[in-house]
Amino acid sequence: AKNEAKGEPCFFDDEMDAAERDRRTLERDMRTAIEEGRIDIAYQPIVCVATGEITSVEALARWSEPDRGAIPPDIFIALAEDCGLIDELGEQILRRACIDGLAWPEKLKVAVNLSPRQFYSGMLTDTVLRVVEETGFPAHRLQFEITENLVIQNAAEAFSQLEELKSHAIGISIDDFGIGYSSLSYFQSFSFNKVKIDKSFVSELDHSKAAKAIVQAVVGLATQLSMSVVAEGVETPLQRQMLEDLGCSHLQGYLISRPVSASAISAMVISEAAL
Ligand code: C2E
Ligand code: CA
Ligand code: CA
Ligand code: CA
């Protein structure tokens, strides 16, 4: 598996089991899709509770092949991480999001997910600034979403790269908060702009006292630290009501909108402005 890490092509041999063969065919197809710029993006609106307006959209990578159908991003992002393609893919997604973002009103921010691996090369900030300059998309309209896993490996290094991005007015959100290896001490090391409460808490909200208490605690913490709180995975009017009552500042989920095309986002903000 050594040559995979360097992103070199993989070869088949007779010893390989079926699962490994499938993985490698998928990898080969993904490599081609990236080279041909066929990885797409869907955007999901995030609305402000106070105004009801769309304040940002989250860029979500999409890939489908005629014979395979849609491959879930969880699968192909992990694959890109494993075979050394994540930097290239990440840059492609960022560039596309910046170009799409130029068509939307200035007040609309664009959130892009970053894989922890994109911090490994030490080139992330350079890449981001180059893409921002090449596309002309203002850095202050950009937000990155990172998961807590990032910090585990090398906290000092991770936080210093985040500081650098932040110094260019790029927003940093902590994603999927509360699952995985979250540590409250991260908030002592870095001031995030946003906390995104994982959808697993939101889906439990109407029947779990614990989920409600957790959301309440996160909102309290966020308020004290001047972070906004986005609840993810809002699917029902009851969840929406509860999250508003608990003081979440922003909502995202199928109840508001599924992830949609860039032009559908344009249509949404135009009809919003007409209200
Ligand atoms: P995530 O960053 O937590 O993204 C939110 C996921 O929740 C998305 O899944 C979105 O479609 C889904 N979602 C949104 N609203 C609802 C809802 O109301 N109910 C339910 N059940 N789900 C909802 P998606 O698009 O399948 O992406 C899965 C994960 O793949 C993302 O989770 C993120 O970790 C990763 N991912 C997607 N695009 C990228 C990317 O460009 N770069 C990186 N590094 N990771 C990405
Ligand atoms: Ca995210
Ligand atoms: Ca999330
Ligand atoms: Ca997630």
Side-chain angles (χ1 to χ4, degrees):
K2 256 193 190 127
N3 53 341
E4 287 171 48
K6 293 204 196 86
E8 284 160 22
C10 303
F11 299 97
F12 300 102
D13 65 50
D14 300 336
E15 314 282 286
M16 217 175 278
D17 62 35
E20 182 61 12
R21 263 172 204 269
D22 286 351
R23 207 194 72 92
R24 294 200 178 189
T25 329
L26 188 65
E27 180 185 325
R28 188 200 57 202
D29 290 355
M30 183 180 60
R31 200 177 284 277
T32 309
I34 294 172
E35 277 165 12
E36 294 175 356
R38 285 190 287 105
I39 308 288
D40 222 340
I41 307 182
Y43 296 92
Q44 190 176 32
I46 298 171
V47 296
C48 170
V49 168
T51 66
E53 285 177 358
I54 303 172
T55 51
S56 58
V57 295
E58 178 177 1
L60 294 159
R62 293 289 179 264
W63 173 35
S64 64
E65 289 285 333
D67 51 337
R68 293 178 186 277
I71 298 104
D74 286 320
I75 304 285
F76 71 79
I77 294 288
L79 184 64
E81 289 175 337
D82 288 348
C83 61
L85 289 169
I86 192 67
D87 284 345
E88 201 178 331
L89 177 58
E91 183 175 338
Q92 208 174 91
I93 291 165
L94 176 64
R95 176 168 286 107
R96 179 79 60 82
C98 287
I99 292 168
D100 287 342
L102 285 171
W104 301 324
E106 178 73 29
K107 58 154 194 156
L108 204 69
K109 310 228 167 172
V110 178
V112 174
N113 291 283
L114 286 181
S115 150
R117 300 264 175 121
Q118 290 176 265
F119 287 80
Y120 287 8
S121 70
M123 294 298 291
L124 182 64
T125 309
D126 288 355
T127 304
V128 170
L129 295 179
R130 182 166 43 77
V131 171
V132 157
E133 176 160 342
E134 285 168 5
T135 58
F137 188 72
H140 71 88
R141 292 181 59 197
L142 204 51
Q143 299 177 336
F144 286 122
E145 299 193 358
I146 60 140
T147 53
E148 307 142 318
N149 311 0
L150 166 66
V151 188
I152 296 164
Q153 292 263 338
N154 185 349
E157 172 60 24
F159 286 127
S160 93
Q161 292 191 48
L162 290 178
E163 284 304 347
E164 219 184 318
L165 290 168
K166 220 181 144 186
S167 74
H168 294 277
I170 296 168
I172 309 289
S173 312
I174 187 149
D175 203 356
D176 299 350
F177 188 73
I179 61 164
Y181 304 89
S182 24
S183 165
L184 293 175
S185 70
Y186 295 167
F187 294 123
Q188 284 186 304
S189 310
F190 186 79
S191 56
F192 293 93
N193 304 90
K194 273 187 183 165
V195 186
K196 299 191 76 175
I197 298 180
D198 191 70
K199 54 179 173 286
S200 59
F201 300 109
V202 173
S203 67
E204 297 287 299
L205 209 54
D206 55 1
H207 53 269
S208 158
K209 235 180 142 177
K212 194 175 163 188
I214 291 164
V215 173
Q216 210 156 18
V218 175
V219 170
L221 184 75
T223 308
Q224 288 297 310
L225 296 173
S226 315
M227 300 181 285
S228 33
V229 181
V230 185
E232 303 187 310
V234 185
E235 293 181 349
T236 69
L238 178 60
Q239 287 167 354
R240 177 189 206 141
Q241 190 56 56
M242 291 182 81
L243 290 160
E244 290 188 12
D245 292 346
L246 288 165
C248 288
S249 57
H250 296 79
L251 306 175
Q252 175 180 12
Y254 296 165
L255 180 68
I256 292 119
S257 168
R258 294 212 168 229
V260 296
S261 68
S263 56
I265 293 291
S266 300
M268 274 183 206
V269 290
I270 288 168
S271 69
E272 198 175 55
L275 288 180

